[in-house]
């Protein structure tokens, strides 16, 4: 991980302190990726023990967020970083917020597993969530890689995967409504599936935010509300 | 509004520039408060014209966010503010994110109105949303006031209103499931109600975040993951 572009991005002057923060951010990213993987495995296998572990681990994610946030503010106060160092600190302040929210969403998926009242989702529902979950996990992993590599072109590619996740969500919603209409005994279980799909859809949104911050970090432009074409221009125009 | 504590908070040195940003933030707050009010009115009255206005206005909210964000970064780069000025800039950078998300949620409520396929929710459902909506609007207004007044004790009081909003959501969810079980023709409509309630519940979460940032602004402590008791200690210990 230390070979990543971001780990060598900051100027010599802030070496130790910024290096320490970047390491903490990358650790936090790994932890949250694992939280999402585990939450999905727990859901697919109905593994309550694993689900409980995800819930218990959320506190560690929160600790990372507060700790990194405080260190970033400390750098701003005491070092007054300029140019790309400042951009790195500001990006980290924003990105840890999204990463922490992804941790919350993984925790809420795990809580659904713990609250299941015995009856499991049927295999078609499990397949739907597994497929959407795989897509979401891949998008999150690649979003975090684009941040770590400070690769704006990669970030833009990854960001566009969010549409497929939104489509998955719309499909699962349609399926669930059909199940409910066919059999009212399916209502509770179908609602569970909708919540989990909704959580994954929101993970996709946060991964999209992470990609946008990666573009800001590497190009210096705020693209939060830019269209895909505007982002393409920013990325190619500055390359 | 210019009489508010926050508008006189910053040191003389940054007067014009920080003053301008604070004004923009307060304008953005007013706009988003109105967006939520209008979205709820549009939902309650089935007013498609008003709903369309809310959707159209979202672009203005986004412009505020990008514009304020860029000005904050400009201040950090060129002025290197210290102490309470720095805290103000950092708080603004965080708070505009939550305000913009509240705008998105108001927009999504308005889009539900535009997508209604003719049949309106029944009066009990409208009442449920109206009650929850009123609570959420009050919480948002008071959260923004606590920020404007930099009043940590007020912020803590407001923050605790989020529990009542979560309870509203749980109640609406229960009612909706009952409707669906009783009559499958209610499923589509009940799902709409659940989405709107869920959007309000998330507005409550963002209002809670705003309160936490207000405590940070006035006390200098990050209380994002603190318990109510810890926050009470922080606020009384520093008063």
């Amino acid at each position: 991980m230390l070979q990543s572009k971001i780990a060598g991005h900051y100027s010599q002057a802030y070496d130790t302190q910024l290096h320490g923060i970047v390491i903490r951010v990358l650790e936090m990213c790994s932890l949250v990726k694992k939280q999402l993987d585990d939450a999905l495995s727990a859901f697919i296998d109905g593994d309550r023990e694993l689900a409980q572990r995800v819930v218990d681990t959320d506190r560690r994610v929160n600790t990372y967020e507060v700790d990194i946030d405080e260190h970033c503010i400390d750098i701003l106060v005491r070092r007054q970083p300029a140019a790309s160092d400042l951009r790195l600190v500001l990006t980290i302040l924003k990105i840890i917020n999204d990463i922490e929210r992804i941790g919350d969403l993984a925790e809420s998926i795990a809580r659904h597993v713990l609250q299941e009242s015995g009856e499991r989702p049927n295999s078609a529902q499990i397949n739907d969530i597994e497929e959407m979950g795989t897509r979401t996990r891949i998008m999150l992993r690649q979003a975090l890689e684009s941040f770590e590599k400070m690769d704006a072109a990669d970030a833009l590619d990854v960001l566009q995967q969010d549409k497929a996740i939104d489509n998955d969500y719309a499909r699962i919603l349609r399926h669930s409504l059909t199940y409910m209409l066919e059999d009212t005994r399916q209502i509770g279980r179908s609602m569970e599936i909708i919540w989990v799909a909704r959580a994954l859809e929101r993970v996709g949104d946060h991964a999209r935010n992470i990609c946008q911050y990666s573009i800001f970090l590497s190009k210096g432009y705020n693209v939060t509300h830019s269209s895909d074409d505007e982002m393409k221009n920013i990325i190619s125009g500055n390359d």
Side-chain angles (χ1 to χ4, degrees), chain A:
Chain A
M1 256 196 300
L2 293 183
Q3 301 312 313
S4 65
K5 189 167 175 191
I6 200 170
H9 175 61
Y10 32 86
S11 64
Q12 215 50 35
Y14 304 110
D15 208 18
T16 319
Q17 203 172 5
L18 260 176
H19 185 76
I21 291 180
V22 168
I23 299 295
R24 297 282 287 162
V25 173
L26 298 178
E27 283 170 7
M28 184 185 178
C29 291
S30 296
L31 182 59
V32 166
K33 259 189 304 189
K34 184 158 187 334
Q35 286 282 84
L36 184 64
D37 291 352
D38 286 351
L40 280 164
S41 297
F43 182 81
I44 288 161
D45 304 331
D47 184 339
R48 298 169 65 88
E49 208 175 298
L50 184 58
Q52 186 59 53
R53 234 167 22 239
V54 172
V55 170
D56 294 340
T57 306
D58 188 57
R59 205 171 287 183
R60 275 183 60 206
V61 178
N62 296 345
T63 306
Y64 268 109
E65 189 197 12
V66 172
D67 178 64
I68 294 168
D69 188 275
E70 282 171 3
H71 274 85
C72 284
I73 293 175
D74 187 60
I75 285 204
L76 289 172
V77 171
R78 299 201 300 157
R79 309 286 196 122
Q80 306 186 322
S84 66
D85 289 332
L86 175 63
R87 213 150 72 202
L88 178 61
V89 174
L90 292 176
T91 304
I92 289 174
L93 275 173
K94 292 202 175 196
I95 231 164
I96 54 171
N97 200 264
D98 285 276
I99 296 170
E100 190 268 334
R101 299 286 162 93
I102 293 171
D104 282 348
L105 292 164
E107 188 202 353
S108 87
I109 292 173
R111 283 194 189 278
H112 275 288
V113 178
L114 294 174
Q115 282 158 12
E116 270 177 12
S117 47
E119 214 182 356
R120 298 245 56 219
N122 65 38
S123 65
Q125 289 173 318
I126 296 267
N127 287 350
D128 271 350
I129 293 294
E130 191 164 14
E131 200 178 311
M132 184 179 185
T134 301
R135 214 190 296 281
T136 311
R137 285 164 51 199
I138 291 173
M139 183 183 176
L140 175 63
R141 194 191 64 225
Q142 295 183 345
L144 294 172
E145 281 169 4
S146 77
F147 164 65
E148 202 181 331
K149 291 191 217 148
M150 295 183 52
D151 188 323
D154 262 14
L156 181 58
D157 280 347
V158 178
L159 183 153
Q160 288 163 337
Q161 296 174 21
D162 193 31
K163 280 180 203 128
I165 293 175
D166 289 347
N167 290 341
D168 283 340
Y169 175 60
R171 199 185 62 242
I172 291 175
L173 191 56
R174 267 198 320 276
H175 287 180
S176 301
L177 286 173
T178 309
Y179 286 130
M180 290 196 258
L181 283 164
E182 280 170 359
D183 180 0
T184 49
R185 288 168 306 176
Q186 297 283 338
I187 287 180
R189 224 160 61 173
S190 295
M191 290 295 291
E192 289 293 312
I193 295 294
I194 293 174
W195 295 143
V196 173
R198 175 76 177 154
L200 291 175
E201 189 261 339
R202 287 184 59 204
V203 170
D205 289 345
H206 288 294
R208 191 182 157 89
N209 293 346
I210 291 171
C211 291
Q212 289 176 329
Y213 298 143
S214 303
I215 295 174
F216 169 73
L217 177 60
S218 103
K219 297 294 175 187
Y221 287 94
N222 179 337
V223 294
T224 316
H225 301 292
S226 303
S227 68
D228 287 0
D229 279 344
E230 285 165 345
M231 282 188 271
K232 260 182 218 150
N233 285 340
I234 286 169
I235 289 168
S236 58
N238 283 281
D239 263 337

